[in-house]
Amino acid sequence: MLTLDGCAVRVVDADRVALVHERMPPAEDLADTADVFGLLSDQNRLRLLVALLDGELCVCDLAAVTGQSESAVSHALRLLRAHRIVAARRSGRMAYYRLEDPHVRMLLDLALAHTEHTEAIHPEREGNA
């Protein structure tokens, strides 16, 4: 009898399980990938990254575009820069931020396209509206 919280049979398709197990990234790589998604899960950081889809912006402009304080923007950018999500270019006393590489843009583009084409159900948000 199959229960809802477990499998009655431990391995149904041993060959497929072996193939998936072989291609599973190392635990450290999975942790690093989870960190990237964690960085993208904050709405304020996500606003900054979406703003950078159009190109470089300085802290002042990012604050104006996202409605955040310059201090909050600077803090978020330090974190994103440490994880190589954004990069900075100095011009005199100004620093201009941009997305680090095309992979970041691809993640953002795919995530935004997904939310535009689906109607999400958020049971975790029920009663919070």
Side-chain angles (χ1 to χ4, degrees):
M1 180 173 130
L2 182 63
T3 62
L4 293 177
D5 60 350
C7 296
V9 178
R10 286 290 154 208
V11 176
V12 174
D13 188 338
D15 292 337
R16 178 168 281 180
V17 169
L19 286 171
V20 170
H21 191 265
E22 282 179 30
R23 73 171 184 79
M24 188 65 63
E28 185 175 304
D29 290 352
L30 289 173
D32 290 345
T33 302
D35 286 346
V36 169
F37 281 106
L39 290 167
L40 299 178
S41 70
D42 177 82
Q43 288 185 32
N44 289 324
R45 288 190 298 260
L46 192 54
R47 277 188 187 90
L48 294 173
L49 296 173
V50 170
L52 293 174
L53 284 171
D54 290 329
E56 290 185 329
L57 289 169
C58 69
V59 170
C60 299
D61 291 343
L62 283 166
V65 166
T66 63
Q68 301 176 58
S69 70
E70 290 175 23
S71 176
V73 168
S74 291
H75 177 75
L77 289 170
R78 274 192 300 277
L79 183 63
L80 293 167
R81 194 170 173 200
H83 287 273
R84 296 185 172 171
I85 303 295
V86 300
R89 174 185 64 83
R90 286 246 177 241
S91 179
R93 294 181 61 189
M94 296 292 292
Y96 293 88
Y97 292 86
R98 67 183 181 281
L99 298 178
E100 174 69 22
D101 66 33
H103 297 112
V104 175
R105 173 176 292 280
M106 189 183 315
L107 281 173
L108 292 169
D109 286 341
L110 287 171
L112 292 168
H114 173 72
T115 56
E116 289 171 1
H117 294 98
T118 59
E119 189 170 330
I121 299 170
H122 299 282
E124 71 279 8
R125 294 185 193 168
E126 285 183 19
N128 295 335

